[in-house]
Amino acid sequence: MTDPKAKTIDTLLSEIRTFIPPAEFVAQANVADPAIYASANEDWQGWWASWAEKLQWDRKWDTVLNWNLPYAEWFVGGKLNASVQCLDRHVAAGNGERIAFYFEGEQGDTRELTYSQVLRNVCRIANGLKSLGVNKGDRVAIYMPMVPELAMTLLACARIGAIFSVVFAGFSPTSLKDRIQDQTAKLVICADGCWRRGKVLDLKTVVNEAVAACDSVTNVVVLRRGGGCTSAAPATARDVEWNDVFANQADTCTPLAMDSEDPLFILYTSGTTGKPKGIVHTTGGYLTAALATTKLVFDLKEEKDVYWCTADIGWITGHTYIVFGPMANGATQVIYEGAPDFPHQDRFWALIEKYKVSIFYTAPTAIRAFMKWGEEHPAKHDLSTLRLLGSVGEPINPEAWVWYLHHIGGGKCPIVDTWWQTETGAIMITPLPGITTTVPGSATTPFPGIEAKLIQEDGSEVIGAGGGYLALTRPWPSMLRGLWGDNKRYEETYWSRFPGKYFAGDGAKRDENNFLWILGRVDDVMNVSGHRLSTMEIESSLVAHPSVAEAAVVGVAHEMKGQAPIGFVILRHGYVASPQLEQELRAFVGTEIGGLARPERITFTPELPKTRSGKIMRRLLRDIAEGKEIGDVTTLADPNVLKGLQAEFVKHD
Ligand code: WT7
């Protein structure tokens, strides 16, 4: 027999048409009977209620669901505290000595924290928050790196009923400021810095700049990352030290019984306009779906698995599948601070070997990077503890899927390709690893209790095989409850395109086996390395530069990132196109929004392709940027514009 690892991707692709869950996996699987779909669908409210019952309620709900389209209330009348689900009940059940986090800093510093230790720390932080005047319903903005204190801060906010809002610590001062202002946060919690590829990222400088314009903020709590990681930023009048406010607090704190529908957090994500949307999630329903999906999709055995999700807690994946899902289940997990290629390109595999990771959840963009770096890196390590692999954030190309299966999963680990969104709060479309025969590239079918449909332009449903807009057609417990301060936009964005149905913004197709294939966004949102960016947001950032008169941005196919932003810019009078100006504009977007949004390249042009009514036809710009045959131009005001633009674009190369 030839070594499967020696096979080329093409051979693997031709051989692996489907993956049948191995008997060994099925024998131990949390779900081994496909009847789960029929029974959950028959009584989907009862199905979700059966999961809610596994949580610890201070008061049981009166009504499972109030559905006043498009507003849902789940487990109405019920009271519970999110931190209790993730901590106290595990300690009370005698599992306090179980490791909650294996933390590994980029520089190799390590810490182990048990559930009891995390509970005590969370109580100290919660008491400290109260001492700073934080009350139920107040907003706390968090700008921290991947250290255990980040997860603990979320749980501490939840313990006292403060609404937390994590801003990914790669966002710019302007982005952070906008988010703090939108939610009128009372408190900001940050770290001075963190390690990234051997260098210190100075977070405090970003925070100083952001909060200068935020009057609502009474204090900024600064965690010292330590280990030689410091910030050059000066202390400001509102600063307080993490240790001063938290370290000496009592290590018990009575959790506040929250209403099931009380907001737990706000998480900002990009929409089709320049202004990010503050997605609001509430307590009881969110935890119910986080608990259920983690347990079933990842086939979690909390008493023995070591789980590792490589996302940052600053994104929804980290909220649901690092903090609330795994912790509500009482799982042991790995948290890693830094880059996958530091100090070497085998860092992840070294971590899997070291901590005996059994469940590994990452993004296709990362898998493509691993492929590029070469299979010799994973081959150096013992990855035999792995038994399940997950993928999230963007469609996974079949090449990456088969590579992941063979070089990481040893050909034996099921892969769960999980489709969901910041808005859905939890996984919606996914295999169940013990029962789904998977196909490379398909997220397969809706999770039990979830109903997804494909809708045509005219609003009619696609029956059987075919393509359409992806819509969710039943309420689900972890659905967003609205946009912070903007319900009109909530109704318009998600519920008006196909009245009565949740419009996800993705296109998808269904094959003959009833499997769904997510095709990507159909709106002006792009997906860069699994992260969501708005074309409009980048455009408004470009036009904020003094040299720019008009800008159009499109997401174009990119080998590693999935998609990458490309800009087309019309300069103002008196400015001359040059490579220097292109670099300046790219850097400008990077500092205005964050590094992810920096355009891959910018083409200067005297004109943009517009319809007669003046709308920029981004579709045509995408065709040019991807070197494709240019699509239908009949609606263009002046078809000649394209020729010049194409010439400019090619000249740039
Ligand atoms: C968008 C949501 C959910 C956590 C990470 C991103 C795309 C997400 C998949 C997948 C194909 C996917 C969709 C979706 N997406 N997972 N498995 N297959 N596409 O969260 O920033 O809210 O973005 O990511 O386009 O709409 P997000």
Side-chain angles (χ1 to χ4, degrees), residues 262-275:
D262 276 333
L264 180 63
F265 65 89
I266 307 168
L267 184 58
Y268 287 85
T269 186
S270 297
T272 53
T273 72
K275 191 177 183 292

Side-chain angles (χ1 to χ4, degrees), residues 269 316-317 391-395 417-423 504 506 518 521 527 530 532:
T269 186
I316 190 68
T317 306
S391 170
V392 63
E394 52 175 315
D417 172 6
T418 61
W419 176 88
W420 59 296
Q421 308 177 297
T422 306
E423 291 88 341
D506 280 306
I518 312 296
R521 302 290 304 196
N527 189 322
R532 204 199 288 196

Side-chain angles (χ1 to χ4, degrees), residues 9 14 50 56 65 69 101 160 178 180 261 325 405 434 461 489 510 574:
I9 291 292
S14 66
S50 75
Q56 185 179 314
L65 171 67
L69 198 144
F101 305 131
I160 63 165
D178 289 346
I180 295 172
E261 279 300 330
L405 173 66
E461 192 188 327
R489 190 174 178 196
R510 193 190 289 113

Side-chain angles (χ1 to χ4, degrees), residues 154 164-166 265-267 286 290 312-326 420:
L154 269 56
F164 59 82
S165 182
V166 188
F265 65 89
I266 307 168
L267 184 58
Y286 174 76
D312 191 287
I313 292 177
W315 310 108
I316 190 68
T317 306
H319 282 58
T320 309
Y321 297 109
I322 296 176
V323 184
F324 293 99
W420 59 296

Side-chain angles (χ1 to χ4, degrees), residues 46-65:
W47 156 255
W48 289 118
S50 75
W51 281 95
E53 267 156 27
K54 298 184 205 296
L55 297 171
Q56 185 179 314
W57 295 80
D58 296 294
R59 183 187 186 278
K60 200 180 163 173
W61 60 89
D62 305 309
T63 313
V64 173
L65 171 67

